Amino acid sequence: MNTNFKLDLVKLLHTAIWIFFNIVIFYLVYAVIINQIDIWVWICLALIVLEGLTLLLFKSICPVTLIARKYSDSNKDNFDIYLPNWLAKYNKLIYTTIVVIAVLGLFYRLKIQ
């Protein structure tokens, strides 16, 4: 396999993981909004914590990015994922903000029940 094909496979995998975590995060937001605090909310939180610990372990760099780095020397923020560059650049900030708001909403929901 050539380098471009390997990078494309890594980008596809990274994008699929990103989509999966979007579903996880937005289910959490949805469940908090409609006050449906069920087992899936706790599974979502566990997955988000696991992702956070992984990023912490790898010094805020996704392990998939490290794999992609073997196949590219690009300086772009989206060299390793099929996202617009601005979204890849601010991805952690955007989604951390959404998760923090969702968790605060969850605490509020749990407190009023």
Side-chain angles (χ1 to χ4, degrees):
M1 281 191 265
N2 69 27
T3 303
N4 287 339
F5 182 71
K6 289 178 184 178
L7 180 60
D8 287 340
L9 286 176
V10 172
K11 287 174 78 167
L12 192 60
L13 171 66
H14 204 182
T15 304
I17 293 168
W18 183 85
I19 290 168
F20 171 77
F21 274 102
N22 269 268
I23 293 166
V24 167
I25 291 167
F26 284 100
Y27 178 80
L28 176 63
V29 170
Y30 171 76
V32 168
I33 289 171
I34 67 166
N35 199 21
Q36 181 179 328
I37 313 306
D38 57 11
I39 187 68
W40 292 106
V41 166
W42 304 111
I43 291 170
C44 289
L45 282 174
L47 289 168
I48 292 166
V49 167
L50 185 62
E51 179 188 25
L53 290 173
T54 301
L55 288 172
L56 194 62
L57 182 67
F58 285 90
K59 298 179 175 87
S60 270
I61 299 172
C62 179
V64 180
T65 300
L66 296 175
I67 295 167
R69 185 56 63 205
K70 295 177 185 177
Y71 307 114
S72 174
D73 58 359
S74 173
N75 291 328
K76 289 186 171 186
D77 293 301
N78 66 346
F79 85 95
D80 61 336
I81 193 166
Y82 291 115
L83 294 177
N85 199 58
W86 69 268
L87 182 53
K89 181 175 183 175
Y90 296 109
N91 190 54
K92 290 178 193 125
L93 175 64
I94 292 167
Y95 287 96
T96 299
T97 303
I98 293 168
V99 168
V100 167
I101 291 168
V103 168
L104 289 173
L106 176 62
F107 286 152
Y108 174 77
R109 291 288 192 197
L110 293 172
K111 185 177 179 177
I112 63 170
Q113 286 184 357

